[in-house]
Each structure stands twice: as C-alpha cells, then as structure tokens.
Amino acid sequence: MAVILDFAAQVAQMLVVLLLAPLLTGFVRKIKARLLRRQGPPLIQPYRDLIWLLHKEVVLAENASWLFRVAPYLIFATTWVAAALVPTFGTGLMFSWTADLIAITALLASARFFLALAGMDVGTSFGGIGSSREMMIASLAEPAMMMIVFTLALMAGSTQLSTISGVMLSPEIGLRISLGLALLALIIVAIAENARIPVDNPATHLELTMVHEAMVLEYSGRHLAVLELAASLKLLLYVSLIICIFVPWGLVPTGAGHAGYVIGAAAYAAKLAAGGLLLALFETAIAKMRVFRVPNFLGAALMLGLLGTLLRFISRSL
Amino acid sequence: MLASVSLWCVAFLLTVAVLATAIARRPAATPIVYGASLAASLVALASALGGLLGDPASPATAILPLGLPWIGAHFRMDALAAFFLTVVNLGGAAASLYALGYGRHESAPSRVLPFFPAFLAGMNLVVLADDAFSFLFSWEFMSLTSWALVMAHHRVADNARAGYIYLVMASFGTFCLLLAFGLLAGVDGAYTFAAIRADRASPVLAILVLALALLGAGSKAGLVPLHVWLPLAHPAAPSHVSALMSGVMTKVAVYGFIRITLDLLGPPEWWWAMVVLALGGITAALGVLHALMEHDLKRLLAYHTVENIGIIYIGLGLALAFQANGVAWAAALALTAALFHVFNHSVFKSLLFFGSGAVLTATGERDMEHLGGLIHRMPLTTFMFLVGCVAISALPPLNGFVSEWLTFQAILQSPELPQWGLKVLVPAVGALLALSAALAATCFVKAFGITFLGRPRTPVAANAQEVDRFSIAAMSLFAALCLLAGILPGLVIDGLMPVIVSLVGERMPVQIAVPWLSIVPIAESRSSYNGLLVFVFIGASASLAIYAIHRVASHALRRGPAWDCGSPNRSPTTQYTSGSFAQPIRRVFGTVVFRAREHVEMPPPGDSHSARMHVDLRDLVWEILYAPVAGVVTFVADRINYLQFLTIRRYLRLVFLALIALLTVLGVWL
C-alpha cells in the first residue's frame, strides 16, 4: 500500500512539473508586462502556443540529420527526468535515490550537450554562435553549480536532495554565511542556465546577442514545441531547487496524510509564485549584459561557491 | 598457472613480431599479424580476468631464468596487475580487431606490423614484472617499440620531431625510474618486489623515490609539465596505435606509479597527496584548455588524454591523503574512482581514436576545419563517435560520469582530513575538476559538431565513405562497453574490490547487493546513483513524448532551405569553425593561460583583399621549462662539436691529459 502511495506521489510529481512549467513561464511574462505597464498575454498563453505549434507542420532544413530530429525529444526527456527528481511539494519521492544533486546537474548538462549539437547540425552561422556561447556560459556555470553542491553536501553530509532539504528543515541549521553565499551563487547560476536577463534575453530574436534562441532557430512545429516545453521545465526545476533547499518550509515529509499534501501543494504554489515574481522584478530592473561581461558575472558565482565550500572545510559552524 | 598463460601469450606475440619482419611486405601479412595479435590478446584478457576474479590470496607467479644472473626474471599476477592486464589486453584486442580493417590502408606496413605485437607484448610484460630489472627492461622495450610506431610515417612533416621529443622524454622517464628502483633496492641489491616490500625505505629515501616516480611514470602518463611529447607523439602514430598509446600505455604508466607509491614504498605521508593532487588538478585543467585550442582531431584527443590522466591522479592523490590519515574506507572510495576512470578512459579514448582513424581513412584529413557533414556520409562511425563524446564529457548515463561522480564523492569525504593544507587544496582541486569536466563537454561539442555536423567544408568531406566492418565492429564493441559500464557500474566496482583491498586494506560496500543495482559509495542516505534507472527513465520519457506527440500533433514535415534568420548563405565557409567555436573560451581563459593575442590585419582602403585575423597562442610550459634546457644543451653541444674535427696529435694529447686527470683523481681519492 505504502509503495503504491509513494509511486502515486512520484507520478503526480512528474505530471505536476510538466503541467505547471508553462504556467510559470506565462506568469513571469505576465508580471514583466505588468511592470512595464503593458497588458501582457494571458497566463495560459504558453499552453496555447504549445498547442498551436503542435498543429503546425515541421519545416526541416534540407541537410538536417537524424540528430536534429531526435535531439528535442532527448533534451525534453533528460530535463523531465531531472525535474521529476527535485522535490516540489513533498520530499518522499520514490526514486529520489536514482540521482543525487550531482547527477541532476549532469543530466541538465546532457540536455545542453545535445541542444548545442542540434544548434550546429544545420551548419548556419547563427546556430554556431548560439552553441559556442551556450557552452562558454555552461563551462563557468557548471563548476559554480558543483561548488554549490559541495557546500550543501558538506553541510548536510549527503548529496541526496531529499536529505539536504530534510537537514535544511531541521531547527539546528539556522543562518550561515556559507548558505548565504551558496544562495547567491545558485541564483546567478539559475539565471544563466535559464537564459534570462542579464545573461540572455528569452524575448528577442534576430539579434547577435542571443544564445538560446540562436540554437533553436532552425526548429519549427512539434520539435519547437518540445524544446519550448523543455525550457519551461528547466526554469521550473531551478525555481523548485532553490525553494526546496533554501525555503523548505511546508514540504511534506514521507508518510504524511492527505492534509499534509494539501498544505504542501499550497505552500509550493505560493513559493513558486513568489519565485516567479522576484524573477520578473529582477529581470525588469536590470539591463542585458554584453556577452563578454557574462564570464565576470558567472565567475562571481564560481568564487562565491568556492568560498562557501572553503568555509565548510574550515569550520563546521559557518 | 595464469601468469604462465599470460607469459605464453607474450612469447607468442614476440614470435609474431619476429615473423612479421619476414613477411611484412606481403599483402597477407596484415590479416595474419593482426589476427594473431587479436587471438593472443583475447587469451591474455581471459587469463587477466581469471586473475582478477580468482583467489586474491594466492597470486600466480612465474620465474624465468632470464635477466640478471642469480636473480632471474620474476613475474606475478596479483589483483592490481590482473586489473591492468585486463585494461591492456582489452585495448589490445580491440585495436587488433580495428586494425584488421584499418591496417589495409597502411602505406608502410613493414614499419608497423613487426612493432605492433611487440608493443602489446611490452605492455603486458611491464604489468607482469615482479622485479626491478624485468620491470625496467619491459618499460624500455615498451617505450622503444611505441617510438618505432610513432616513427612509422617518418617522412610526414613534424613526425620526426615528435619522435625525437618522445625518445628524449621516454629515456628521461626510464632514467628516473631506474634511479627510483635503485634507491628502493638499496645497497644490497634486493631487486625483487617482494624483497623491496619487505625492506621499507627510510623517509628521506621515500621522498626521493616519490619524486623520481612522479617524474618517471608521470612523464609516460603525461602529467603536466612532462606532457609535452604526448600531443605530438600520440597523433603521429597510425590511429590504432594512437588508441593504444593514449588509451592503454598511459594506463601502464599509472600502474607503475600505483605500484611504486601504494605498494612498494610503504605507508604514505599526507603531504605526498598535496603534490599529487596539485599536479592532477593542474594537469586536468591545462589539458582540456589545450584541447579546446586544437583543430587537429587526433591532437585534440591526445590533449584530452592529458586531462583524463589529471583526473586519475586526482583520485590517486585523494587515496594517498586518506591512506596517510588512516581513513581506509575513504581511500578505498578514492582509489576505486581512480581505477574506474582508468578503465573508462581506456575504453572511450580508444573508441574516439578509432573514430578519428575512420575519419582519416575516409577523408585523409585530421584537420577539423576541412571536415563537416560526415553524419550523412558515415552514419555508423558518427554514432559511435557520439557515444564516445558523451562518455568522455562525463554525462549520464554513460560510464565517464560514474567515475567522475565517484571522484566527487571522494572529494566530499575530505573534511575528515586533519591537515590544513589538504583542507584548502582539496576544494580547489574539486573546482578544477568540475571546471575541466564542463570544459570537456564544450570541447567535445566542438569536436563532434565541427567534424560530423553542419555542411562539408571540402570535397573530400562531401565524398567520404563509411569505413569497413572490422573498424565498425571494434567501435561498436567499445561503445557498448561505455553504455554497459555506465548503467551497471556496480559490477565494475565489485570487480575492482580485490585490487582495492590488496592496496588499502578496506573495501567499498558490496554493490551487487544494493537494491535496483544502484551504486552506493558509503550509505544510501548520503549518496547514490542508479545509471540503469536513469537510462530507463530517459528512454521511457523520450518514447512517451514521441508517442504522445505523434498521437496529437501534426505529422506533416517539409524539407526546405535552412532558415538562418531569412538570409541563408550556401557557402560552407559561413559556418562556425573550430577556431570560432573556441573563441569565447579563448577570450575567457586563453588570455591568462596561453597569453592569447588576437590581431586583425586590415587591408588599406581601396584594396580588395580580405582582412585576416591572427591568433597567437604561447605554450608557457614549453617556453619556461623546455626551451631554456634545449637552449643550454644546444649551446654546449655546439661548443663540444669543436672536438669532432681535431687532428690526430690533438686527440692523442687529449687522451694523455684525460689519463693524467684520471690518475690524479684516483691518487687524491685513495
């Protein structure tokens, strides 16, 4: 019985992230528009876009290979698996031991690897520029992420995400310098990984500044829909990650009753909305960076993460 | 018993080598030599696996009446040797299989065929050797046969220089090892490993031996700053030999280092680990940065060998640190990570070199800037190469990720270490490791994307043909191993345990007993990873997505010209090149590491020539360390050169003066 419940929770989690992801994207867009005193598209616009794209035909470049056609599904699947392993409303995920935080980071790296290859497949200059810049950003964001993982893992004595959030929930953890550093670094990494302002601009096309959009430029129809969904999933994943590590209150522990799940779901929705709001505020308040300023921005995250890790190595109480 | 089986295989390989000198010019020689090498490697592989899985308490030994008088040549297959023999013979078997097809295109078979089986025999002998003399003799034999293979195409530009530098570095390495074993053996000349083990070296001697082992084995493995020969020599050899040199011979060097430091030298000191860790971290980062700047496919792969050796040495350094502090369970974890990476790297690096050899056969090109679009012409090679790229980039669910994950887990155990130096160094090395993993992914997006994707940049690339079935078979074998070791890592870890127990006296938890075939380094609440489930989940969600989307979405698909923001240009030169792909990385890291400078040559107004951009990269290791030494040697050689052209009277005078000097010295001494 307990196994069935756990399994149901895991399946529910997979569906929740899949269904919520476009909503979060729509929510951020809406808030950004309202902050600029525009009406903005309705909240459900991303869903409509997806359905619209699914019904369009695919226009494939003449020399696109099988890799180009397989990549969207691989990227989506990897991102989805990663997102399904990050606790959202409850910690008792049935398969949480399948991949720890390092493996989740690496799963996202796999998705990016194939996205960058897909960008180079047709052999256009835009695809190349996108892939090259994406990998440059990743080559700094990934070690920064790994340093954050180190900080958290040394604090919790585990790289398992459910254990980490359990430790964060416990009263003895309190405020710590290394936690603050890790939070700052994680926010920077999340912004870079999700191609948000100031690293990249998800709203522009046809500009030499673009990174993510340049890689998916040749995609259309259902392939594009899948990629858009994967991008939304990734945003949701990072927001959920920040939530479950740094604001874990309300997370349902293993074996809680129905009431617990209701509270957990409500708390998750509220935290997600707050995260989206903060992201929109941040994006509206800041300007896009030149590409070669991005390494400094990400280098700061790397240094913060390294500092946090060093503090953990030096003292157990910082 | 098993040791004698392996020795018979070695004897057989040597016989084949001798035979090959006689028949090398006949067309039938290629299949005969490689077929015989394949058979011998398979038998030796079976014997090594038997040694690995057999009873670790009673290793197989053999003594031959060769070598030094009254001592003989000792051979022994303990768990450590059995593991490395497995790596050597697996690589050897696959390279022989590959060469059954690839070797047919060889322009100078008589320069390759005799040395290939001899090289395999040499590597086997190094690992089997159980006394200092046999070890050094086999080591030098291995170096010389591989040098001969590097020089196979000696008329190709730069190959002669590569061979020369390799020969100098290899001699230097053997010289260091000679001194190291001399110190280990002591004044009474206890040359067998058993005697060395029984008679522990004093602390001062241990320091010297460690330094010499780092220089000797490190120069063969490619540790920075002793790596300079590696990216020159490995690509110069024929591709199946490159695969052996990069994938296997560097592992034999790692074996030498492990044998000396963890087995023969006695209990380690904690600061040894500092040296090894620092060298490993620098090697990993510098290797991958060099690789990113390369546009020669084989040289890029060779630089990645440097990177991976760095990762292995990080694991070894951690193992030394834990072992020195008596944290044996963590030492077991770190050493497992290092040895797992030894196995993984031998598999995917050989696979990638096979792939580059296939590209070379099909197009005659190693320069990525002249390739492109091969995915349409060589689909199987492309797929195998892609598997190798994903594996080496440490991406789940393939095998490269597992060993890096284990290394990270070992790093996370290091707050257990009491020394401050290690407390500060280990996180820094962890950051370097994470950085090099991310940069490796960048580098292989570049290597794969420029070579196989996009549009062909030259006619040879546009007209490439898929390679023969032997090459494909060898590549498929290793691609399958990449996947199997990635999704069933617990089996590999359990297989490594006899080695780990024999070296550190502790083991990791039994992995096969963990439910769902997860791997658990310490305890499940602390960390676990399940490659099989990750693989199944990715497969299932991708299939589900494909199924669902094809149920609801439009099936229509139309081919058209590329969109490229509405202004597509048909010329393949408008694509990103290897240089332009790496440009952001060059700007971020290259300005410091390589003193990279870009300057643009603009034609004067009215001139219709195109502008040119030049990039200056400087190899600081070469400039700071090697160029001065080479300068001094040349200067002295030039001065002494005068002695070559003396008259007979002056020679006689020289001889007389030398005699007087010698007698004076003797007189003063006694």
Side-chain angles (χ1 to χ4, degrees):
Chain A
M1 187 59 205
V3 175
I4 297 171
L5 249 179
D6 279 353
F7 191 70
Q10 178 71 58
V11 172
Q13 151 103 9
M14 287 194 88
L15 292 177
V16 161
V17 290
L18 193 61
L19 293 175
L20 269 185
L23 187 65
L24 180 65
T25 310
F27 180 72
V28 174
R29 278 190 203 156
K30 182 77 177 175
I31 300 287
K32 273 173 81 173
R34 296 300 296 156
L35 285 170
L36 299 171
R37 297 198 151 233
R38 287 191 285 117
Q39 188 62 43
L43 275 180
I44 56 161
Q45 190 60 38
Y47 297 99
R48 286 185 185 161
D49 287 347
L50 288 178
I51 293 167
W52 173 70
L53 280 171
L54 284 176
H55 286 109
K56 296 291 241 180
E57 72 170 344
V58 170
V59 183
L60 211 56
E62 275 146 359
N63 63 334
S65 66
W66 56 265
L67 186 71
F68 191 77
R69 298 174 65 176
V70 174
Y73 299 106
L74 271 181
I75 293 160
F76 169 73
T78 340
T79 318
W80 194 20
V81 170
L85 294 171
V86 177
T88 53
F89 53 86
T91 53
L93 287 175
M94 189 179 180
F95 289 109
S96 62
W97 42 265
T98 307
D100 61 354
L101 196 46
I102 298 178
I104 289 174
T105 315
L107 275 173
L108 292 175
S110 299
R112 174 174 38 238
F113 188 82
F114 281 100
L115 186 61
L117 286 184
M120 298 179 78
D121 184 60
V122 178
T124 58
S125 36
F126 275 106
I129 204 173
S131 302
S132 158
R133 287 177 176 178
E134 171 82 1
M135 293 316 285
M136 181 263 284
I137 292 171
S139 66
L140 288 163
E142 235 175 77
M145 184 68 196
M146 204 52 80
M147 287 298 107
I148 299 162
V149 176
F150 276 16
T151 313
L152 297 171
L154 292 173
M155 199 168 301
S158 163
T159 49
Q160 300 289 69
L161 209 39
S162 31
T163 317
I164 293 177
S165 48
V167 170
M168 292 295 164
L169 261 176
S170 64
E172 68 260 28
I173 210 82
L175 280 177
R176 298 202 178 177
I177 301 172
S178 50
L179 266 184
L181 298 177
L183 175 62
L184 259 180
L186 185 55
I187 289 173
I188 296 179
V189 169
I191 284 169
E193 290 270 359
N194 285 293
R196 312 301 299 194
I197 296 174
V199 173
D200 189 7
N201 190 344
T204 58
H205 274 272
L206 312 190
E207 258 192 66
L208 280 174
T209 53
M210 64 195 189
V211 180
H212 181 265
E213 293 300 321
M215 283 188 290
V216 301
L217 196 62
E218 297 294 329
Y219 276 109
S220 54
R222 53 179 184 270
H223 296 155
L224 187 58
V226 173
L227 284 173
E228 294 277 328
L229 188 55
S232 303
L233 264 175
K234 197 170 169 188
L235 179 64
L236 183 80
L237 184 157
Y238 269 98
V239 177
S240 306
L241 190 64
I242 294 175
I243 288 174
C244 90
I245 295 172
F246 293 100
V247 246
W249 302 288
L251 268 183
V252 194
T254 331
H258 300 292
Y261 277 109
V262 173
I263 296 172
Y268 179 60
K271 288 185 280 190
L272 213 52
L277 189 70
L278 288 175
L279 175 63
L281 273 173
F282 179 75
E283 277 201 291
T284 318
I286 201 162
K288 166 91 179 62
M289 253 177 218
R290 279 198 305 129
V291 166
F292 285 107
R293 299 297 286 276
V294 172
N296 299 346
F297 185 60
L298 285 169
L302 183 56
M303 284 305 122
L304 287 171
L306 188 57
L307 207 58
T309 311
L310 275 174
L311 282 180
R312 293 302 310 161
F313 267 88
I314 287 164
S315 154
R316 285 182 187 272
S317 61
L318 284 172
Chain B
M1 167 62 193
L2 287 169
S4 40
V5 172
S6 295
L7 285 174
W8 276 114
C9 289
V10 169
F12 179 69
L13 283 169
L14 290 173
T15 320
V16 174
V18 174
L19 189 72
T21 47
I23 62 164
R25 287 179 196 285
R26 302 199 189 158
T30 302
I32 291 174
V33 170
Y34 290 126
S37 306
L38 174 61
S41 300
L42 284 178
V43 174
L45 176 63
S47 145
L49 279 175
L52 191 60
L53 304 176
D55 180 17
S58 58
T61 54
I63 302 175
L64 296 184
L66 302 169
L68 291 185
W70 302 292
I71 293 175
H74 295 247
F75 297 98
R76 179 159 167 269
M77 196 202 287
D78 58 359
L80 179 66
F83 167 68
F84 277 92
L85 282 175
T86 311
V87 170
V88 167
N89 289 304
L90 186 65
S96 310
L97 178 63
Y98 177 79
L100 278 172
Y102 179 82
R104 283 195 299 236
H105 310 285
E106 180 58 56
S107 55
S110 57
R111 291 177 170 277
V112 176
L113 289 180
F115 299 113
F116 181 80
F119 180 40
L120 286 180
M123 290 194 291
N124 269 303
L125 277 178
V126 173
V127 183
L128 277 170
D130 195 36
D131 67 78
F133 181 79
S134 324
F135 184 91
L136 287 169
F137 182 82
S138 324
W139 184 278
E140 192 63 4
F141 185 71
M142 169 182 87
S143 297
L144 288 178
T145 45
S146 58
W147 172 78
L149 288 164
V150 167
M151 294 297 282
H153 302 152
H154 62 117
R155 294 196 198 283
V156 178
D158 291 345
N159 278 12
R161 175 169 176 264
Y164 176 67
I165 292 178
Y166 177 34
L167 195 61
V168 170
M169 290 302 290
S171 313
F172 170 73
T174 313
F175 177 67
C176 290
L177 283 181
L178 183 73
L179 293 180
F181 278 111
L183 290 175
L184 279 174
V187 281
D188 40 339
Y191 287 111
T192 60
F193 285 173
I196 293 174
R197 232 175 260 129
D199 183 21
R200 292 296 185 202
S202 68
V204 183
L205 274 187
I207 295 170
L208 277 175
V209 172
L210 177 78
L212 289 168
L214 268 176
L215 287 173
S219 73
K220 188 59 106 193
L223 267 190
V224 169
L226 305 163
H227 68 288
V228 285
W229 63 274
L230 195 151
L232 301 171
H234 286 191
S239 297
H240 58 298
V241 180
S242 308
L244 276 183
M245 289 178 76
S246 253
V248 178
M249 191 177 69
T250 53
K251 307 306 171 299
V252 176
V254 170
Y255 162 81
F257 184 75
I258 294 179
R259 179 62 85 192
I260 293 176
T261 48
L262 279 165
D263 186 16
L264 299 180
L265 205 48
E269 299 280 337
W270 67 269
W271 56 265
W272 297 4
M274 297 275 292
V275 181
V276 178
L277 276 171
L279 281 178
I282 294 170
T283 304
L286 206 61
V288 68
L289 281 173
H290 266 293
L292 269 161
M293 301 300 127
E294 267 315 318
H295 51 88
D296 178 322
L297 189 54
K298 284 179 79 174
R299 199 173 295 165
L300 180 147
L301 293 177
Y303 270 123
H304 266 283
T305 301
V306 176
E307 184 223 345
N308 281 284
I309 288 295
I311 296 173
I312 293 169
Y313 270 81
I314 289 175
L316 292 180
L318 287 168
L320 282 173
F322 289 124
Q323 185 72 357
N325 285 299
V327 198
W329 56 271
L333 171 60
L335 193 60
T336 310
L339 292 185
F340 202 150
H341 203 73
V342 163
F343 171 76
N344 286 343
H345 182 249
S346 80
V347 172
F348 52 62
K349 185 47 64 72
S350 303
L351 168 61
L352 289 167
F353 265 114
F354 292 163
S356 71
V359 171
L360 193 60
T361 312
T363 63
E365 276 291 347
R366 270 164 48 180
D367 190 343
M368 293 194 284
E369 314 276 34
H370 297 162
L371 296 167
L374 293 179
I375 193 169
H376 303 286
R377 308 290 307 182
M378 312 170 71
L380 290 172
T381 305
T382 305
F383 182 75
M384 307 304 170
F385 199 87
L386 179 62
V387 172
C389 288
V390 176
I392 198 173
S393 307
L395 298 176
L398 297 188
N399 59 350
F401 173 70
V402 183
S403 43
E404 290 215 12
W405 185 81
L406 287 172
T407 313
F408 280 127
Q409 295 297 340
I411 288 176
L412 286 174
Q413 309 312 320
S414 50
E416 309 270 343
L417 299 171
Q419 292 89 5
W420 280 95
L422 284 170
K423 271 183 195 287
V424 177
L425 185 66
V426 169
V429 168
L432 281 177
L433 180 63
L435 184 69
S436 47
L439 286 172
T442 310
C443 191
F444 278 95
V445 167
K446 175 182 110 159
F448 186 82
I450 303 288
T451 313
F452 292 95
L453 301 180
R455 289 168 288 164
R457 293 178 175 80
T458 50
V460 283
N463 299 317
Q465 291 295 328
E466 187 58 277
V467 289
D468 57 277
R469 56 183 196 283
F470 288 113
S471 307
I472 297 288
M475 287 191 273
S476 330
L477 175 75
F478 271 6
L481 270 181
C482 281
L483 180 65
L484 280 179
I487 61 177
L488 299 172
L491 298 182
V492 183
I493 294 176
D494 281 347
L496 283 172
M497 279 312 119
V499 190
I500 308 297
V501 172
S502 74
L503 289 175
V504 300
E506 184 74 55
R507 55 166 298 147
M508 280 174 63
V510 181
Q511 304 293 327
I512 196 80
V514 179
W516 295 86
L517 296 174
S518 289
I519 53 169
V520 174
I522 303 136
E524 198 183 302
S525 63
R526 299 185 63 167
S527 54
S528 65
Y529 166 70
N530 190 322
L532 182 63
L533 273 186
V534 166
F535 180 66
V536 169
F537 283 165
I538 292 176
S541 3
S543 317
L544 195 68
I546 291 174
Y547 174 74
I549 282 171
H550 282 79
R551 281 299 292 270
V552 300
S554 152
H555 289 248
L557 189 142
R558 180 159 56 88
R559 291 271 180 178
W563 159 235
D564 204 13
C565 273
S567 52
N569 189 326
R570 291 202 159 265
S571 162
T573 51
T574 57
Q575 299 177 87
Y576 249 52
T577 61
S578 151
S580 47
F581 189 91
Q583 188 251 9
I585 301 284
R586 196 171 66 226
R587 281 190 64 162
V588 176
F589 297 99
T591 43
V592 180
V593 181
F594 303 113
R595 300 269 186 281
R597 296 279 177 277
E598 298 172 359
H599 38 96
V600 181
E601 240 175 53
M602 291 297 283
D607 190 345
S608 62
H609 281 99
S610 51
R612 297 194 71 82
M613 192 179 85
H614 297 279
V615 179
D616 284 342
L617 293 178
R618 291 167 56 191
D619 186 346
L620 293 182
V621 173
W622 181 267
E623 285 182 15
I624 294 172
L625 206 61
Y626 289 84
V629 175
V632 169
V633 169
T634 316
F635 177 81
V636 173
D638 278 349
R639 291 294 164 280
I640 298 178
N641 193 22
Y642 163 76
L643 293 179
Q644 205 180 342
F645 306 102
L646 300 181
T647 57
I648 187 78
R649 276 183 300 134
R650 292 194 169 179
Y651 276 127
L652 285 175
R653 195 189 301 163
L654 264 184
V655 170
F656 183 68
L657 284 176
L659 195 63
I660 297 282
L662 202 63
L663 287 174
T664 322
V665 168
L666 272 180
V668 171
W669 196 301
L670 299 173

